[in-house]
């Protein structure tokens, strides 16, 4: 039994080491300008929170949750903006940057000359995207706690949930990047991303939409992310969180498999 299990454990350990090398390569090449990109990515949801959550919230007034609790509109909107922030950070790394490295820099052509495999490239790039996403999520949660929009224990619980959201969108973005033909395709991605941002229960509950549109909204990945983080950050939702978790885990696994196979096909053709 040991003779069968030990080689697999050693292979898994070696794969993890090679994936971490891909992630660390991104850290080693960071420049000063990149930190400005990180700061701008964090400020975007914060500006939305103040302009819409607080500004429009002053006109909306208190907001009633599906479980009957009354909260401020900013409290309702903030977890959705946290989900959007996790999505934006993950997609930025695994679409634009991944596509550029693969198609124009030809970085991965050199990487596969080493023992690193396409699946390990995908896992390493996803890990790096998650490092960026975790910085966004942690900083935004600090803002939420400072504004009394959630409690410290709930924020601590929401952080791993936000990381799961980032993993799912990172894997999805990497899969999308393997199908892109040129930079012009990013216009379509931007439109799709903004549509999700507007119609995923971010500013109004999904129950406000007509039945057909509500059904379409509830099967989108950002809605599941918003529903999960709103439930965790506000202490609502009950067992419905499990549906969100299984959805996001399944999306992550499926997209990682597709992304690694597509990457392998593109690199070895």
């Amino acid at each position: 039994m040991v003779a069968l299990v030990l080689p697999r454990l050693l292979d898994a350990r070696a794969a993890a080491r090679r994936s971490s090398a891909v992630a660390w390569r991104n850290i080693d090449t960071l420049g000063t300008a990149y930190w400005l990109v990180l700061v701008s990515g964090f400020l975007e949801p914060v500006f939305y929170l103040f302009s819409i959550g607080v500004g429009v919230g002053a006109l909306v007034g208190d907001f009633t949750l599906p479980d009957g609790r009354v909260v401020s509109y900013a409290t309702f909107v903030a977890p959705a903006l946290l989900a959007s922030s996790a999505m934006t950070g993950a997609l930025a790394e695994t679409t634009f940057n991944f596509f550029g490295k693969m198609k124009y820099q030809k970085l991965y052509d050199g990487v596969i000359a080493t023992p690193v495999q396409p699946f390990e490239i995908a896992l390493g790039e996803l890990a790096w995207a998650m490092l960026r996403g975790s910085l966004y999520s942690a900083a935004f949660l600090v803002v939420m706690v400072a504004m009394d929009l959630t409690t410290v224990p709930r924020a601590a619980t929401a952080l791993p949930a936000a990381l799961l959201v980032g993993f799912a969108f990172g894997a999805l973005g990497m899969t999308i990047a393997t199908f892109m033909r040129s930079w012009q395709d990013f216009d379509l991605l931007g439109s799709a991303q903004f549509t999700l941002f507007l119609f995923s229960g971010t500013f109004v509950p999904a129950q406000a939409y007509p039945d057909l549109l509500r059904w379409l909204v509830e099967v989108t990945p950002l809605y599941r992310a918003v529903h999960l983080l709103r439930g965790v950050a506000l202490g609502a939702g009950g067992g419905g969180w499990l549906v969100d978790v299984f959805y996001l885990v399944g999306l992550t696994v499926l997209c990682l498999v597709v992304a690694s196979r597509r990457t392998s096909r593109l690199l070895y053709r």
Side-chain angles (χ1 to χ4, degrees), residues 8-24 115-117 119-121 123-125 127:
R8 295 182 180 180
L9 291 176
L10 292 176
D11 288 343
R13 183 177 179 181
R17 186 171 62 251
R18 291 191 290 266
S19 296
S20 64
V22 174
W24 275 105
V116 179
Q117 301 298 311
F119 180 76
E120 294 159 355
I121 292 175
L123 203 57
E125 291 293 351

Side-chain angles (χ1 to χ4, degrees), residues 65-67 69 79 150-151 153-162 164-165 221 223-250:
L65 297 176
D67 62 3
R69 284 189 300 152
T150 189
T151 63
R154 287 176 181 171
T157 306
L159 181 58
L164 173 59
V165 173
Y223 174 81
R224 303 320 314 183
V226 169
H227 188 266
L228 171 63
L229 288 173
R230 186 169 281 148
V232 173
L234 303 185
W241 301 354
L242 293 176
V243 176
D244 303 325
V245 170
F246 285 131
Y247 179 104
L248 294 171
V249 170

